[in-house]
Amino acid sequence: MKKLLLTITAIVASLQLHAQQSPIEPYTMFVIYETYNFQTGSVLQDNFTEYVLIDLDGDGSKEIWVRTADGKHQAVFADTETDTYLIAWTDEKFEEVLLYKGAACANHYRPDYTLRQFAILDNSIPETWLEVEETPEGCTYKLNNEIISAKKGEKMLKKLGYKEGKGYLTNLQWLPIPEDLQPKG
């Protein structure tokens, strides 16, 4: 009986979580594809097939994280009343997207070089960009393209909940993007 109650509780919790996620709108998906293609300068070979809505900066507006079936291409968008912002993505350069408290990060790894670009949101708008370059010689921190001290850079990373190789927000429930919202051809 306990096992049955636990199973029912888990199913109800899952349904409640799914109900809290509003369905993605057709116009939003159109804007996502157009914004991705324009800002990255590339056209996806595969469609985004899954999404999750999450409020990264706690402002009440949910950001949209989309990915292709194989996970190779991912993108995080902030969709405000006035514009849609591509804030982090994977492509030929950036291999991984991770989410943090108030930020999305794109990571670029090479054997002797790592680049992390954090888009820090303020009311869903990425107005602050923190860039961390790691080489065998050490780390360089840039805030909006201006070099800052390691102390200030580390303080910002700590505030975001940054840990090496681990996103702050993980256990997310990915939802399928309906085929009729995906580009044809």
Side-chain angles (χ1 to χ4, degrees):
M1 184 67 164
K2 275 187 178 182
K3 190 173 184 179
L4 177 62
L5 284 175
L6 287 174
T7 303
I8 291 171
T9 304
I11 290 170
V12 169
S14 175
L15 291 172
Q16 287 174 337
L17 178 63
H18 189 272
Q20 291 172 2
Q21 301 251 358
S22 61
I24 199 160
E25 300 291 327
Y27 181 73
T28 301
M29 280 309 301
F30 170 77
V31 171
I32 281 174
Y33 278 101
E34 291 298 308
T35 302
Y36 182 89
N37 293 340
F38 177 74
Q39 289 188 340
T40 65
S42 64
V43 177
L44 290 170
Q45 299 301 313
D46 299 312
N47 290 333
F48 292 123
T49 59
E50 297 178 304
Y51 76 101
V52 65
L53 301 174
I54 187 154
D55 186 3
L56 290 175
D57 58 351
D59 68 349
S61 295
K62 293 190 176 190
E63 285 67 50
I64 304 164
W65 188 4
V66 293
R67 67 183 179 188
T68 56
D70 62 6
K72 183 177 178 182
H73 292 281
Q74 300 181 33
V76 180
F77 295 86
D79 191 30
T80 69
E81 289 182 19
T82 58
D83 210 347
T84 299
Y85 302 92
L86 176 60
I87 57 176
W89 64 93
T90 56
D91 59 11
E92 293 77 31
K93 182 176 180 181
F94 293 103
E95 297 92 10
E96 176 183 51
V97 170
L98 295 174
L99 302 181
Y100 296 94
K101 294 180 207 173
C105 176
N107 294 305
H108 174 65
Y109 301 107
R110 290 295 171 263
D112 60 344
Y113 176 81
T114 299
L115 174 65
R116 292 183 171 82
Q117 290 186 337
F118 295 85
I120 302 170
L121 303 179
D122 183 12
N123 291 313
S124 293
I125 298 174
E127 294 189 0
T128 305
W129 297 88
L130 175 64
E131 187 172 281
V132 181
E133 294 180 34
E134 298 175 22
T135 65
E137 292 79 36
C139 284
T140 303
Y141 299 88
K142 293 181 184 175
L143 185 61
N144 297 329
N145 282 329
E146 299 288 327
I147 294 177
I148 60 173
S149 70
K151 184 176 181 178
K152 185 173 182 179
E154 292 294 326
K155 184 177 179 181
M156 290 183 76
L157 290 176
K158 185 175 181 180
K159 184 177 176 183
L160 297 174
Y162 173 78
K163 290 187 177 154
E164 181 73 33
K166 291 186 179 184
Y168 174 74
L169 301 168
T170 52
N171 300 325
L172 303 173
Q173 181 181 1
W174 290 89
L175 302 172
I177 296 173
E179 285 190 31
D180 62 328
L181 297 184
Q182 299 175 16
K184 305 292 184 255

